[in-house]
Amino acid sequence: MTTKKKNATAKKSPSKKTTRSSGLWLVKQEPEKYSWDDFVRDGRTDWTGVRNFQARNNLKQMKVGDRVLFYHSSTGKCVVGIAEVAKAAYADPTADDPQWVAVDIKPVKPLKEAVPLAAIRYTAKLADLPLIRQSQLSVMPLTKEEFDTIVAMGNGKKK
């Protein structure tokens, strides 16, 4: 009987990871260095300079067409728009070490209203969001529910 319980528990963990890597992401950027407006003006950008192993691993999982929430860190601390992965992971041209990767993303649309971190923190459906639990992580996976909740908040709807 003990073996059955261990197997049942082991099966639950992978399913939780699967829902996190559903092709939905959040990337953080300091607006003083590169804002949503800069991104829209450029029409596309390479997401280079990531030097955190967990964020790098997240970049490696991104696929063309995946949806990405664009978050202004430091000043503002809010989700401001939706982007899309335009080119999957490739060697980061700003790194001397081939282990580091970049992706290209392009803007899709701004949110009608910025979704501040304070509102995210107090939304029960977002309690497990990596943005709250791992605040220094610059590239993070989202579940469909987390993504949809933030987009709904940004469109003025309570979800």
Side-chain angles (χ1 to χ4, degrees), residues 29-64:
Q29 179 61 46
E30 295 174 10
E32 304 83 8
K33 293 183 180 176
Y34 194 75
S35 69
W36 173 261
D37 291 337
D38 296 329
F39 183 38
V40 170
R41 179 197 66 228
D42 294 346
R44 181 176 173 142
T45 192
D46 52 353
W47 210 257
T48 59
V50 172
R51 299 296 182 267
N52 170 287
F53 289 105
Q54 188 175 1
R56 179 212 53 199
N57 292 342
N58 291 334
L59 286 174
K60 285 181 173 183
Q61 291 180 44
M62 290 180 162
K63 293 177 179 50
V64 173

mmCIF file of all heavy atoms in Angstrom, residues 29-64:
data_model
loop_
_atom_site.group_PDB
_atom_site.id
_atom_site.type_symbol
_atom_site.label_atom_id
_atom_site.label_comp_id
_atom_site.label_asym_id
_atom_site.label_seq_id
_atom_site.Cartn_x
_atom_site.Cartn_y
_atom_site.Cartn_z
ATOM 1 N N GLN A 29 10.901 43.658 -17.853
ATOM 2 C CA GLN A 29 11.851 44.601 -18.414
ATOM 3 C C GLN A 29 11.722 45.937 -17.691
ATOM 4 O O GLN A 29 10.606 46.388 -17.428
ATOM 5 C CB GLN A 29 11.590 44.804 -19.908
ATOM 6 C CG GLN A 29 12.507 45.785 -20.581
ATOM 7 C CD GLN A 29 13.972 45.379 -20.513
ATOM 8 O OE1 GLN A 29 14.328 44.248 -20.761
ATOM 9 N NE2 GLN A 29 14.827 46.301 -20.162
ATOM 10 N N GLU A 30 12.842 46.556 -17.403
ATOM 11 C CA GLU A 30 12.830 47.886 -16.797
ATOM 12 C C GLU A 30 12.436 48.886 -17.879
ATOM 13 O O GLU A 30 13.116 48.993 -18.905
ATOM 14 C CB GLU A 30 14.211 48.222 -16.239
ATOM 15 C CG GLU A 30 14.619 47.328 -15.090
ATOM 16 C CD GLU A 30 16.047 47.572 -14.626
ATOM 17 O OE1 GLU A 30 16.673 48.558 -15.072
ATOM 18 O OE2 GLU A 30 16.529 46.758 -13.826
ATOM 19 N N PRO A 31 11.340 49.620 -17.684
ATOM 20 C CA PRO A 31 10.882 50.538 -18.729
ATOM 21 C C PRO A 31 11.863 51.672 -19.028
ATOM 22 O O PRO A 31 11.849 52.219 -20.132
ATOM 23 C CB PRO A 31 9.554 51.072 -18.189
ATOM 24 C CG PRO A 31 9.591 50.822 -16.723
ATOM 25 C CD PRO A 31 10.464 49.614 -16.524
ATOM 26 N N GLU A 32 12.751 51.980 -18.069
ATOM 27 C CA GLU A 32 13.762 53.018 -18.314
ATOM 28 C C GLU A 32 14.761 52.562 -19.378
ATOM 29 O O GLU A 32 15.344 53.367 -20.081
ATOM 30 C CB GLU A 32 14.541 53.366 -17.034
ATOM 31 C CG GLU A 32 13.693 53.803 -15.865
ATOM 32 C CD GLU A 32 13.099 52.651 -15.066
ATOM 33 O OE1 GLU A 32 13.450 51.480 -15.302
ATOM 34 O OE2 GLU A 32 12.252 52.925 -14.211
ATOM 35 N N LYS A 33 14.945 51.244 -19.476
ATOM 36 C CA LYS A 33 15.894 50.691 -20.452
ATOM 37 C C LYS A 33 15.199 50.309 -21.760
ATOM 38 O O LYS A 33 15.767 50.503 -22.831
ATOM 39 C CB LYS A 33 16.607 49.479 -19.864
ATOM 40 C CG LYS A 33 17.527 49.851 -18.723
ATOM 41 C CD LYS A 33 18.279 48.656 -18.196
ATOM 42 C CE LYS A 33 19.188 49.062 -17.058
ATOM 43 N NZ LYS A 33 19.864 47.935 -16.455
ATOM 44 N N TYR A 34 14.004 49.733 -21.657
ATOM 45 C CA TYR A 34 13.273 49.322 -22.853
ATOM 46 C C TYR A 34 11.809 49.146 -22.463
ATOM 47 O O TYR A 34 11.441 48.150 -21.851
ATOM 48 C CB TYR A 34 13.849 48.019 -23.422
ATOM 49 C CG TYR A 34 13.382 47.717 -24.826
ATOM 50 C CD1 TYR A 34 13.900 48.415 -25.914
ATOM 51 C CD2 TYR A 34 12.422 46.747 -25.064
ATOM 52 C CE1 TYR A 34 13.473 48.139 -27.212
ATOM 53 C CE2 TYR A 34 11.989 46.459 -26.346
ATOM 54 C CZ TYR A 34 12.518 47.161 -27.419
ATOM 55 O OH TYR A 34 12.087 46.884 -28.699
ATOM 56 N N SER A 35 10.991 50.111 -22.830
ATOM 57 C CA SER A 35 9.582 50.113 -22.426
ATOM 58 C C SER A 35 8.691 49.445 -23.474
ATOM 59 O O SER A 35 9.132 49.150 -24.594
ATOM 60 C CB SER A 35 9.108 51.553 -22.228
ATOM 61 O OG SER A 35 9.044 52.215 -23.490
ATOM 62 N N TRP A 36 7.442 49.255 -23.109
ATOM 63 C CA TRP A 36 6.447 48.733 -24.046
ATOM 64 C C TRP A 36 6.372 49.641 -25.277
ATOM 65 O O TRP A 36 6.313 49.164 -26.406
ATOM 66 C CB TRP A 36 5.086 48.609 -23.360
ATOM 67 C CG TRP A 36 3.998 48.236 -24.314
ATOM 68 C CD1 TRP A 36 3.095 49.077 -24.904
ATOM 69 C CD2 TRP A 36 3.718 46.927 -24.837
ATOM 70 N NE1 TRP A 36 2.268 48.365 -25.752
ATOM 71 C CE2 TRP A 36 2.622 47.049 -25.723
ATOM 72 C CE3 TRP A 36 4.279 45.667 -24.634
ATOM 73 C CZ2 TRP A 36 2.079 45.958 -26.408
ATOM 74 C CZ3 TRP A 36 3.729 44.590 -25.314
ATOM 75 C CH2 TRP A 36 2.650 44.734 -26.184
ATOM 76 N N ASP A 37 6.407 50.959 -25.068
ATOM 77 C CA ASP A 37 6.356 51.899 -26.194
ATOM 78 C C ASP A 37 7.561 51.719 -27.125
ATOM 79 O O ASP A 37 7.415 51.778 -28.349
ATOM 80 C CB ASP A 37 6.273 53.343 -25.702
ATOM 81 C CG ASP A 37 4.931 53.655 -25.042
ATOM 82 O OD1 ASP A 37 3.937 52.944 -25.329
ATOM 83 O OD2 ASP A 37 4.876 54.605 -24.249
ATOM 84 N N ASP A 38 8.742 51.503 -26.561
ATOM 85 C CA ASP A 38 9.937 51.229 -27.374
ATOM 86 C C ASP A 38 9.721 49.953 -28.193
ATOM 87 O O ASP A 38 10.053 49.891 -29.381
ATOM 88 C CB ASP A 38 11.182 51.043 -26.498
ATOM 89 C CG ASP A 38 11.567 52.292 -25.727
ATOM 90 O OD1 ASP A 38 11.326 53.420 -26.219
ATOM 91 O OD2 ASP A 38 12.110 52.134 -24.611
ATOM 92 N N PHE A 39 9.177 48.952 -27.536
ATOM 93 C CA PHE A 39 8.921 47.653 -28.157
ATOM 94 C C PHE A 39 7.950 47.793 -29.334
ATOM 95 O O PHE A 39 8.204 47.284 -30.429
ATOM 96 C CB PHE A 39 8.375 46.724 -27.065
ATOM 97 C CG PHE A 39 8.096 45.306 -27.461
ATOM 98 C CD1 PHE A 39 8.908 44.611 -28.340
ATOM 99 C CD2 PHE A 39 7.015 44.637 -26.905
ATOM 100 C CE1 PHE A 39 8.643 43.280 -28.666
ATOM 101 C CE2 PHE A 39 6.748 43.317 -27.215
ATOM 102 C CZ PHE A 39 7.558 42.642 -28.101
ATOM 103 N N VAL A 40 6.865 48.527 -29.117
ATOM 104 C CA VAL A 40 5.877 48.740 -30.175
ATOM 105 C C VAL A 40 6.514 49.519 -31.333
ATOM 106 O O VAL A 40 6.308 49.194 -32.500
ATOM 107 C CB VAL A 40 4.621 49.460 -29.626
ATOM 108 C CG1 VAL A 40 3.698 49.916 -30.746
ATOM 109 C CG2 VAL A 40 3.876 48.548 -28.649
ATOM 110 N N ARG A 41 7.291 50.533 -31.004
ATOM 111 C CA ARG A 41 7.972 51.327 -32.030
ATOM 112 C C ARG A 41 8.877 50.439 -32.886
ATOM 113 O O ARG A 41 8.906 50.539 -34.104
ATOM 114 C CB ARG A 41 8.795 52.439 -31.374
ATOM 115 C CG ARG A 41 9.562 53.322 -32.375
ATOM 116 C CD ARG A 41 10.655 54.122 -31.717
ATOM 117 N NE ARG A 41 11.686 53.215 -31.206
ATOM 118 C CZ ARG A 41 12.196 53.281 -29.989
ATOM 119 N NH1 ARG A 41 11.811 54.206 -29.129
ATOM 120 N NH2 ARG A 41 13.124 52.416 -29.600
ATOM 121 N N ASP A 42 9.618 49.533 -32.243
ATOM 122 C CA ASP A 42 10.548 48.650 -32.957
ATOM 123 C C ASP A 42 9.831 47.533 -33.718
ATOM 124 O O ASP A 42 10.355 47.019 -34.699
ATOM 125 C CB ASP A 42 11.557 48.045 -31.988
ATOM 126 C CG ASP A 42 12.492 49.085 -31.389
ATOM 127 O OD1 ASP A 42 12.550 50.226 -31.905
ATOM 128 O OD2 ASP A 42 13.169 48.747 -30.389
ATOM 129 N N GLY A 43 8.662 47.127 -33.235
ATOM 130 C CA GLY A 43 7.892 46.081 -33.906
ATOM 131 C C GLY A 43 8.357 44.657 -33.647
ATOM 132 O O GLY A 43 7.655 43.708 -33.966
ATOM 133 N N ARG A 44 9.522 44.518 -33.055
ATOM 134 C CA ARG A 44 10.092 43.204 -32.750
ATOM 135 C C ARG A 44 11.406 43.455 -32.027
ATOM 136 O O ARG A 44 12.077 44.444 -32.282
ATOM 137 C CB ARG A 44 10.344 42.442 -34.045
ATOM 138 C CG ARG A 44 10.912 41.054 -33.878
ATOM 139 C CD ARG A 44 11.011 40.374 -35.237
ATOM 140 N NE ARG A 44 11.696 39.101 -35.135
ATOM 141 C CZ ARG A 44 11.362 38.019 -35.815
ATOM 142 N NH1 ARG A 44 10.356 38.052 -36.651
ATOM 143 N NH2 ARG A 44 12.033 36.903 -35.676
ATOM 144 N N THR A 45 11.782 42.545 -31.144
ATOM 145 C CA THR A 45 13.065 42.683 -30.471
ATOM 146 C C THR A 45 13.636 41.319 -30.132
ATOM 147 O O THR A 45 12.905 40.334 -30.018
ATOM 148 C CB THR A 45 12.950 43.543 -29.193
ATOM 149 O OG1 THR A 45 14.256 43.886 -28.739
ATOM 150 C CG2 THR A 45 12.215 42.816 -28.076
ATOM 151 N N ASP A 46 14.946 41.295 -29.984
ATOM 152 C CA ASP A 46 15.601 40.077 -29.505
ATOM 153 C C ASP A 46 15.693 40.189 -27.983
ATOM 154 O O ASP A 46 16.043 41.228 -27.456
ATOM 155 C CB ASP A 46 16.979 39.894 -30.135
ATOM 156 C CG ASP A 46 17.878 41.112 -30.005
ATOM 157 O OD1 ASP A 46 17.424 42.175 -29.535
ATOM 158 O OD2 ASP A 46 19.052 41.007 -30.363
ATOM 159 N N TRP A 47 15.295 39.132 -27.309
ATOM 160 C CA TRP A 47 15.305 39.112 -25.842
ATOM 161 C C TRP A 47 16.641 38.528 -25.404
ATOM 162 O O TRP A 47 16.780 37.343 -25.179
ATOM 163 C CB TRP A 47 14.121 38.304 -25.313
ATOM 164 C CG TRP A 47 13.674 38.812 -23.989
ATOM 165 C CD1 TRP A 47 13.913 38.259 -22.769
ATOM 166 C CD2 TRP A 47 12.940 40.005 -23.736
ATOM 167 N NE1 TRP A 47 13.373 39.022 -21.785
ATOM 168 C CE2 TRP A 47 12.763 40.119 -22.348
ATOM 169 C CE3 TRP A 47 12.419 41.010 -24.553
ATOM 170 C CZ2 TRP A 47 12.090 41.167 -21.753
ATOM 171 C CZ3 TRP A 47 11.745 42.054 -23.964
ATOM 172 C CH2 TRP A 47 11.583 42.128 -22.578
ATOM 173 N N THR A 48 17.642 39.397 -25.328
ATOM 174 C CA THR A 48 19.012 38.990 -25.026
ATOM 175 C C THR A 48 19.396 39.404 -23.618
ATOM 176 O O THR A 48 18.679 40.142 -22.953
ATOM 177 C CB THR A 48 19.998 39.647 -26.016
ATOM 178 O OG1 THR A 48 19.866 41.065 -25.900
ATOM 179 C CG2 THR A 48 19.731 39.223 -27.447
ATOM 180 N N GLY A 49 20.555 38.948 -23.184
ATOM 181 C CA GLY A 49 21.119 39.406 -21.917
ATOM 182 C C GLY A 49 20.655 38.660 -20.687
ATOM 183 O O GLY A 49 21.016 39.019 -19.575
ATOM 184 N N VAL A 50 19.862 37.618 -20.857
ATOM 185 C CA VAL A 50 19.391 36.838 -19.705
ATOM 186 C C VAL A 50 20.553 35.995 -19.190
ATOM 187 O O VAL A 50 21.136 35.213 -19.951
ATOM 188 C CB VAL A 50 18.191 35.952 -20.102
ATOM 189 C CG1 VAL A 50 17.819 35.004 -18.976
ATOM 190 C CG2 VAL A 50 17.011 36.819 -20.507
ATOM 191 N N ARG A 51 20.894 36.164 -17.905
ATOM 192 C CA ARG A 51 22.025 35.433 -17.333
ATOM 193 C C ARG A 51 21.640 34.701 -16.046
ATOM 194 O O ARG A 51 22.420 34.563 -15.129
ATOM 195 C CB ARG A 51 23.205 36.377 -17.060
ATOM 196 C CG ARG A 51 23.744 37.070 -18.298
ATOM 197 C CD ARG A 51 24.335 36.086 -19.293
ATOM 198 N NE ARG A 51 24.885 36.774 -20.448
ATOM 199 C CZ ARG A 51 24.229 37.015 -21.577
ATOM 200 N NH1 ARG A 51 22.982 36.623 -21.713
ATOM 201 N NH2 ARG A 51 24.809 37.660 -22.563
ATOM 202 N N ASN A 52 20.417 34.259 -15.980
ATOM 203 C CA ASN A 52 19.918 33.456 -14.873
ATOM 204 C C ASN A 52 19.571 32.092 -15.454
ATOM 205 O O ASN A 52 18.899 32.018 -16.484
ATOM 206 C CB ASN A 52 18.684 34.142 -14.268
ATOM 207 C CG ASN A 52 17.953 33.281 -13.269
ATOM 208 O OD1 ASN A 52 17.289 32.318 -13.645
ATOM 209 N ND2 ASN A 52 18.066 33.629 -12.007
ATOM 210 N N PHE A 53 20.049 31.021 -14.821
ATOM 211 C CA PHE A 53 19.866 29.681 -15.372
ATOM 212 C C PHE A 53 18.394 29.294 -15.526
ATOM 213 O O PHE A 53 17.998 28.729 -16.537
ATOM 214 C CB PHE A 53 20.605 28.632 -14.533
ATOM 215 C CG PHE A 53 22.092 28.730 -14.679
ATOM 216 C CD1 PHE A 53 22.874 29.271 -13.666
ATOM 217 C CD2 PHE A 53 22.719 28.295 -15.843
ATOM 218 C CE1 PHE A 53 24.256 29.371 -13.809
ATOM 219 C CE2 PHE A 53 24.101 28.388 -15.993
ATOM 220 C CZ PHE A 53 24.861 28.936 -14.981
ATOM 221 N N GLN A 54 17.579 29.605 -14.530
ATOM 222 C CA GLN A 54 16.163 29.243 -14.609
ATOM 223 C C GLN A 54 15.464 30.032 -15.720
ATOM 224 O O GLN A 54 14.702 29.463 -16.505
ATOM 225 C CB GLN A 54 15.481 29.482 -13.264
ATOM 226 C CG GLN A 54 14.073 28.949 -13.219
ATOM 227 C CD GLN A 54 13.444 29.083 -11.848
ATOM 228 O OE1 GLN A 54 14.046 29.590 -10.911
ATOM 229 N NE2 GLN A 54 12.214 28.637 -11.720
ATOM 230 N N ALA A 55 15.759 31.321 -15.825
ATOM 231 C CA ALA A 55 15.174 32.140 -16.890
ATOM 232 C C ALA A 55 15.655 31.640 -18.263
ATOM 233 O O ALA A 55 14.876 31.565 -19.215
ATOM 234 C CB ALA A 55 15.537 33.605 -16.685
ATOM 235 N N ARG A 56 16.925 31.274 -18.357
ATOM 236 C CA ARG A 56 17.471 30.725 -19.602
ATOM 237 C C ARG A 56 16.733 29.449 -19.996
ATOM 238 O O ARG A 56 16.366 29.260 -21.158
ATOM 239 C CB ARG A 56 18.958 30.420 -19.449
ATOM 240 C CG ARG A 56 19.550 29.826 -20.735
ATOM 241 C CD ARG A 56 20.666 28.853 -20.533
ATOM 242 N NE ARG A 56 20.349 27.772 -19.612
ATOM 243 C CZ ARG A 56 21.266 27.027 -19.023
ATOM 244 N NH1 ARG A 56 22.546 27.249 -19.240
ATOM 245 N NH2 ARG A 56 20.920 26.061 -18.210
ATOM 246 N N ASN A 57 16.506 28.574 -19.030
ATOM 247 C CA ASN A 57 15.794 27.335 -19.313
ATOM 248 C C ASN A 57 14.373 27.621 -19.794
ATOM 249 O O ASN A 57 13.852 26.918 -20.662
ATOM 250 C CB ASN A 57 15.787 26.426 -18.088
ATOM 251 C CG ASN A 57 17.172 25.908 -17.764
ATOM 252 O OD1 ASN A 57 18.082 25.940 -18.595
ATOM 253 N ND2 ASN A 57 17.355 25.437 -16.544
ATOM 254 N N ASN A 58 13.754 28.660 -19.241
ATOM 255 C CA ASN A 58 12.426 29.057 -19.697
ATOM 256 C C ASN A 58 12.482 29.561 -21.138
ATOM 257 O O ASN A 58 11.620 29.231 -21.946
ATOM 258 C CB ASN A 58 11.825 30.109 -18.765
ATOM 259 C CG ASN A 58 11.471 29.533 -17.405
ATOM 260 O OD1 ASN A 58 11.214 28.335 -17.269
ATOM 261 N ND2 ASN A 58 11.460 30.366 -16.391
ATOM 262 N N LEU A 59 13.502 30.349 -21.467
ATOM 263 C CA LEU A 59 13.663 30.821 -22.847
ATOM 264 C C LEU A 59 13.788 29.646 -23.811
ATOM 265 O O LEU A 59 13.228 29.660 -24.905
ATOM 266 C CB LEU A 59 14.903 31.717 -22.984
ATOM 267 C CG LEU A 59 14.826 33.126 -22.419
ATOM 268 C CD1 LEU A 59 16.186 33.810 -22.524
ATOM 269 C CD2 LEU A 59 13.755 33.952 -23.115
ATOM 270 N N LYS A 60 14.534 28.618 -23.401
ATOM 271 C CA LYS A 60 14.742 27.447 -24.252
ATOM 272 C C LYS A 60 13.432 26.710 -24.553
ATOM 273 O O LYS A 60 13.319 26.039 -25.577
ATOM 274 C CB LYS A 60 15.721 26.469 -23.598
ATOM 275 C CG LYS A 60 17.159 26.920 -23.667
ATOM 276 C CD LYS A 60 18.057 25.880 -23.012
ATOM 277 C CE LYS A 60 19.526 26.199 -23.214
ATOM 278 N NZ LYS A 60 20.393 25.145 -22.647
ATOM 279 N N GLN A 61 12.450 26.830 -23.668
ATOM 280 C CA GLN A 61 11.170 26.151 -23.854
ATOM 281 C C GLN A 61 10.201 26.931 -24.739
ATOM 282 O O GLN A 61 9.195 26.390 -25.198
ATOM 283 C CB GLN A 61 10.504 25.909 -22.503
ATOM 284 C CG GLN A 61 11.209 24.898 -21.640
ATOM 285 C CD GLN A 61 10.500 24.712 -20.321
ATOM 286 O OE1 GLN A 61 9.273 24.606 -20.264
ATOM 287 N NE2 GLN A 61 11.256 24.686 -19.245
ATOM 288 N N MET A 62 10.480 28.197 -24.984
ATOM 289 C CA MET A 62 9.570 29.027 -25.772
ATOM 290 C C MET A 62 9.542 28.565 -27.229
ATOM 291 O O MET A 62 10.567 28.218 -27.801
ATOM 292 C CB MET A 62 9.989 30.490 -25.706
ATOM 293 C CG MET A 62 9.765 31.122 -24.365
ATOM 294 S SD MET A 62 10.303 32.853 -24.428
ATOM 295 C CE MET A 62 9.451 33.494 -23.005
ATOM 296 N N LYS A 63 8.333 28.603 -27.796
ATOM 297 C CA LYS A 63 8.138 28.208 -29.190
ATOM 298 C C LYS A 63 7.491 29.367 -29.946
ATOM 299 O O LYS A 63 6.783 30.184 -29.358
ATOM 300 C CB LYS A 63 7.235 26.977 -29.258
ATOM 301 C CG LYS A 63 7.870 25.729 -28.670
ATOM 302 C CD LYS A 63 6.901 24.564 -28.692
ATOM 303 C CE LYS A 63 7.489 23.292 -28.143
ATOM 304 N NZ LYS A 63 8.147 23.381 -26.875
ATOM 305 N N VAL A 64 7.734 29.422 -31.237
ATOM 306 C CA VAL A 64 7.116 30.450 -32.075
ATOM 307 C C VAL A 64 5.602 30.384 -31.893
ATOM 308 O O VAL A 64 5.017 29.302 -31.912
ATOM 309 C CB VAL A 64 7.508 30.254 -33.558
ATOM 310 C CG1 VAL A 64 6.734 31.200 -34.461
ATOM 311 C CG2 VAL A 64 9.005 30.456 -33.738
#
